[in-house]
Amino acid sequence: MPDVMTRGGDEAFDAVVVGAGFSGLYQLHCLRDRLGLSVRLLEAGDGVGGTWYWNRYPGARCDSESHSYAYYFSEALLQDWSWTERYPGQAEILRYLNHVADRLDLRRDIRFGARVAEARYDEAANRWHVRTEAGDRCTATFLITAVGCLSAANVPDIPGLGDFAGRWYHTGQWPHEGVDFAGRRVGMVGTGSTGIQAAPAIAETAAHLTVFQRTANYSIPANNAPLTEAFKTWAKANTAEIQRVMHASTNGHPFLIEDRSAHDLTPEERQAVYEAAWERGGLQFRAAFRDLLVDKAANDTASEFLRAKIREIVKDPATAARLADIDHPFATKRPPIDTGYFETFNRDNVALVDVRANPIECVTPRGIRLRDGTEHPLDIIVFATGFDAMTGPLLRMDIRGRDGLPLREAWRAGPRTYLGLGMPGFPNLFTITGPGSPSVLCNMPVAIEQHVEWITGCIAHMRAQGIDRVEAEPEAAEGWVEHVNEAANATLLPQAGHSWYLGANVPGKPRVFMPYAGGMARYRGICADVAARGYEGFRLGE
């Protein structure tokens, strides 16, 4: 097998995988080592890691507990690796993924520094032709995108940014050498998960940090800590049970939602439940009651508890009021977990600016100017403005299917997929954790393993039957999109109208609820049934 792609001639593979994060590494392993296919993995970065290769901003940390944020397909990998913290930081996760790449000898089939510019389907030859930005080309029967849901940075189009005399950065495109904030006046735009993680770390060294908040957000303390030797021993001895719980849970985490309603308890009893969940920390807070995401009155009890915590923590009443002025039900946007976020606003070198009441007008050479004319002098601007989520990473590649159909055109009104795995008009193209799958509503490695194994099983079935083409049926995709909408509308999730789940953070993007909100366990069963019925909803062969 060739070691590199060459200009001037297309190398031929059975499959091309795009992206070397959790998804791509496992997909390469499954296709190459289980099915014996020739595979080329194309990665834009200079190393493996995906999200954790690019997101190196201060405070970057996973919000899934470390013992669940790992591959569970291999007992040997689970026993080989020991996490050090309850919630692993970026550097530790990157070390883990490099360990996996080395352990499975994956690098020999990865081409680094190869950002895909174009992928087009040749119907006559039943081949995908892939070209990188550097001009390298290859072809394959199967094209599998493992580009991640949160990999296309959303840099806001603010007038004057190009004239800024200082330096600016996006948290999703962080310099590998880091950024020195010492003695600098820093402005941070955005208070989603990344901003909530970054602000405390930046404030520790910056001369001054100004946080520009448009949308106030809930956050729950991570209460992160080093793992005890006793816990590490327990986790390694109970991998099968941990996996069973993750597969049975709604969100793929190693805990189940409590089977009780928030209305079942007295106010005092409910307060005690929330206090205990707050002290434990982490995403398990939202599992305290079964009806927090389906009953507004139940959700209000959690929302008010969290607002009260903000007012209790933040000493300045005016700042606390702005931070607690949250306009959406709890957990209808991705609920951040933090390490000292609200406490950061008690520091003398930190200020909060409400840009909903007084929007950013422009960036000047000296800093950021608001609509009322107030100018905030800055040396560094940090955009913690998130990503063009789920569809962005796919649409930034020029993917063209049958009859040259551009994916951007096919998704003009929003993504149309079947199970988040395949799309009408794009034969032999699979999307790992694509729109219409649980993906970002889930502990990602659990969703990724399920998708990779389903795709691998489908290709194995095709090879056993002598079939070389698979394509989602239009009727199946339309029915699935309808079901995805029904699942979302059965919850409170669409009530956060500015959520990136809806694409609301990207100007001009269709407002469509993209992930599947019916739960990971239910989704796993649906996919298994589709496969058991001969891949019902997919057209196999011509």
Side-chain angles (χ1 to χ4, degrees):
M1 183 181 298
D3 288 332
V4 295
M5 294 164 59
T6 56
R7 295 184 179 89
D10 292 2
E11 286 191 282
F13 300 95
D14 293 320
V16 166
V17 178
V18 184
F22 267 96
S23 301
L25 295 179
Y26 187 31
Q27 189 68 80
L28 168 58
H29 171 63
C30 284
L31 295 181
R32 187 192 71 182
D33 300 329
R34 295 183 185 175
L35 300 189
L37 303 188
S38 62
V39 186
R40 169 66 77 229
L41 192 158
L42 302 175
E43 166 55 46
D46 293 326
V48 304
T51 293
W52 302 106
Y53 174 86
W54 298 104
N55 285 263
R56 298 165 181 253
Y57 59 87
R61 188 172 297 279
C62 186
D63 59 8
S64 293
E65 295 190 58
S66 58
H67 69 289
S68 70
Y69 200 75
Y71 292 115
Y72 268 73
F73 69 85
S74 166
E75 184 66 21
L77 279 177
L78 288 167
Q79 298 302 324
D80 271 358
W81 185 263
S82 291
W83 297 101
T84 65
E85 296 181 276
R86 180 184 179 192
Y87 293 101
Q90 175 269 334
E92 186 170 20
I93 300 170
L94 190 60
R95 287 195 299 272
Y96 169 72
L97 289 170
N98 274 279
H99 166 75
V100 171
D102 293 337
R103 183 79 159 73
L104 301 178
D105 189 24
L106 299 178
R107 296 180 200 277
R108 59 187 166 93
D109 291 304
I110 302 174
R111 177 67 186 272
F112 296 109
R115 184 180 296 278
V116 171
E118 175 188 60
R120 59 180 179 84
Y121 177 67
D122 179 347
E123 184 171 3
N126 190 36
R127 303 286 290 176
W128 280 94
H129 293 257
V130 181
R131 178 178 61 82
T132 71
E133 289 184 352
D136 300 320
R137 302 193 304 271
C138 62
T139 72
T141 303
F142 298 101
L143 175 63
I144 302 162
T145 63
V147 292
C149 302
L150 301 173
S151 59
N154 176 41
V155 178
D157 184 15
I158 301 176
L161 182 57
D163 299 325
F164 182 51
R167 293 170 293 155
W168 66 266
Y169 306 93
H170 189 281
T171 51
Q173 299 172 331
W174 204 256
H176 287 201
E177 66 276 13
V179 177
D180 182 7
F181 295 107
R184 307 286 184 173
R185 298 166 299 177
V186 182
M188 189 185 78
V189 180
T191 53
S193 293
T194 53
I196 283 173
Q197 288 185 336
I202 294 172
E204 286 181 3
T205 59
H208 192 272
L209 171 65
T210 304
V211 177
F212 295 88
Q213 172 189 277
R214 183 179 63 178
T215 305
N217 217 336
Y218 303 99
S219 189
I220 297 158
N223 292 336
N224 189 40
L227 294 177
T228 65
E229 291 304 317
F231 182 86
K232 294 178 188 179
T233 300
W234 174 85
K236 289 191 176 186
N238 291 276
T239 55
E241 175 61 14
I242 293 167
Q243 185 181 47
R244 185 196 68 77
V245 173
M246 292 193 298
H247 284 188
S249 70
T250 299
N251 302 106
H253 288 287
F255 53 82
L256 300 176
I257 296 173
E258 295 289 342
D259 187 20
R260 62 188 174 197
S261 166
H263 303 301
D264 289 343
L265 306 183
T266 67
E268 294 76 18
E269 291 169 335
R270 192 168 53 235
Q271 181 77 7
V273 167
Y274 286 140
E275 289 287 358
W278 177 269
E279 288 304 314
R280 187 185 190 285
L283 293 177
Q284 196 165 345
F285 185 96
R286 63 182 177 183
F289 298 102
R290 66 172 180 265
D291 48 358
L292 293 187
L293 269 179
V294 295
D295 182 305
K296 180 63 165 56
N299 189 287
D300 286 345
T301 66
S303 299
E304 182 47 44
F305 174 87
L306 295 172
R307 291 191 189 99
K309 283 295 184 186
I310 297 170
R311 293 189 289 265
E312 177 185 316
I313 292 168
V314 180
K315 295 176 182 177
D316 176 61
T319 301
R322 289 195 295 272
L323 289 165
D325 186 19
I326 304 172
D327 64 357
H328 56 279
F330 167 64
T332 54
K333 297 175 70 174
R334 187 175 181 89
I337 64 174
D338 71 90
T339 300
Y341 175 65
F342 295 115
E343 292 84 349
T344 296
F345 293 95
N346 293 329
R347 297 177 63 110
D348 293 337
N349 68 328
V350 176
L352 179 69
V353 173
D354 181 0
V355 294
R356 173 165 290 179
N358 190 12
I360 294 174
E361 181 177 81
C362 65
V363 176
T364 71
R366 296 181 62 247
I368 289 178
R369 187 165 67 216
L370 306 182
R371 180 176 291 174
D372 70 356
T374 302
E375 186 168 10
H376 294 268
L378 302 168
D379 303 304
I380 296 174
I381 300 173
V382 173
F383 290 109
T385 46
F387 301 88
D388 184 353
M390 302 194 73
T391 57
L394 293 164
L395 295 179
R396 292 189 183 191
M397 298 183 286
D398 183 10
I399 299 176
R400 295 175 182 261
R402 191 189 300 276
D403 301 321
L405 174 66
L407 181 61
R408 186 171 294 278
E409 180 63 32
W411 285 3
R412 180 176 293 276
R416 295 290 184 269
T417 76
Y418 182 42
L419 305 176
L421 282 160
M423 299 165 287
F426 297 83
N428 292 353
L429 171 62
F430 293 105
T431 54
I432 302 175
T433 63
S437 71
S439 61
V440 294
L441 298 179
C442 190
N443 177 24
M444 287 302 295
V446 174
I448 286 165
E449 285 193 336
Q450 185 265 335
H451 260 201
V452 168
E453 288 162 8
W454 192 97
I455 292 166
T456 303
C458 182
I459 293 174
H461 171 81
M462 293 172 63
R463 286 168 62 81
Q465 299 296 320
I467 298 167
D468 63 1
R469 195 183 319 234
V470 60
E471 181 180 351
E473 297 274 12
E475 298 80 11
E478 289 305 311
W480 184 249
V481 169
E482 183 177 341
H483 178 60
V484 169
N485 286 323
E486 289 172 350
N489 290 331
T491 74
L492 303 176
L493 287 164
Q495 293 193 20
H498 41 65
S499 167
W500 57 258
Y501 293 155
L502 290 156
N505 62 321
V506 179
K509 188 169 181 174
R511 298 297 185 264
V512 177
F513 195 84
M514 293 180 285
Y516 177 64
M520 187 65 216
R522 182 182 181 190
Y523 175 83
R524 181 184 297 276
I526 292 170
C527 290
D529 287 345
V530 166
R533 291 194 292 266
Y535 296 92
E536 184 178 66
F538 289 89
R539 183 166 62 246
L540 300 177
E542 299 299 324

